[in-house]
Amino acid sequence: MNAIASRASEAALAALVRSDVPRARDELSAVPKRVEFAEAGWKVALVNALTELAAGKRKSGINALTKVFQRLDDTGLSADDKGYLRLFALYRAIEHSKDGRAPGALRDHAENFRFDTTLVDPLLKAMFPLKRVEKKPPDIPPPPFPAGMGSSEA
């Protein structure tokens, strides 16, 4: 059951990367109703919160992020992974807030966690990157060197 929930949340996350909110919701609908939060439920809840935010439901998305943030201690994740996910939730809440500030429930705990980024699971970092990666335009060739520059003759 947890494997199904994990795969469905990863597929929903992939749909969110493509900005396909309906597909993300469809993938999340495949998650079984009874999933242990400590095992795979945290991932499902986090992806569900991100789906709400992507759909423009700011308040419910931030509330869902806050719930995940508060329950991370119930999981079997390492302390570094929990700290990383808390920072991830804080960043997403800031991005979607009206005033550019995270809700008080997240801000109050922001200084109470520490983590070593080198110890965070690389798969976790790949699934939930802290920074938004923007699509780069196609490579544009650099302008030519001015006359006399860039030659190897000296």
Side-chain angles (χ1 to χ4, degrees):
M1 199 161 52
N2 289 327
I4 294 169
S6 185
R7 282 193 304 269
S9 61
E10 289 169 12
L13 194 57
L16 287 177
V17 168
R18 295 186 308 271
S19 301
D20 189 353
V21 175
R23 177 72 180 172
R25 287 187 192 278
D26 186 45
E27 293 291 348
L28 286 173
S29 69
V31 174
K33 297 297 177 204
R34 293 260 182 201
V35 177
E36 283 292 322
F37 187 84
E39 299 296 323
W42 66 268
K43 190 186 303 184
V44 173
L46 185 54
V47 173
N48 187 45
L50 296 174
T51 303
E52 292 294 306
L53 291 172
K57 296 182 177 181
R58 187 185 56 78
K59 188 172 183 174
S60 65
I62 289 176
N63 287 339
L65 270 179
T66 303
K67 288 178 185 173
V68 172
F69 185 98
Q70 292 170 336
R71 291 195 60 201
L72 281 174
D73 286 332
D74 297 343
T75 68
L77 296 169
S78 73
D80 295 306
D81 289 350
K82 291 174 193 175
Y84 180 86
L85 287 173
R86 284 187 172 111
L87 188 60
F88 176 83
L90 185 69
Y91 283 4
R92 298 299 85 81
I94 290 170
E95 286 177 354
H96 291 89
S97 69
K98 286 183 181 178
D99 59 358
R101 293 181 57 181
L106 297 178
R107 275 195 328 265
D108 292 343
H109 299 286
E111 307 229 349
N112 294 338
F113 65 87
R114 303 231 186 288
F115 67 96
D116 183 346
T117 189
T118 61
L119 298 177
V120 175
D121 182 0
L123 294 175
L124 194 66
K125 285 183 183 179
M127 283 178 30
F128 303 106
L130 293 180
K131 293 183 179 180
R132 293 284 182 196
V133 179
E134 296 184 16
K135 293 179 183 174
K136 292 174 41 178
D139 288 338
I140 300 171
F145 285 108
M149 290 189 69
S151 66
S152 60
E153 298 172 19

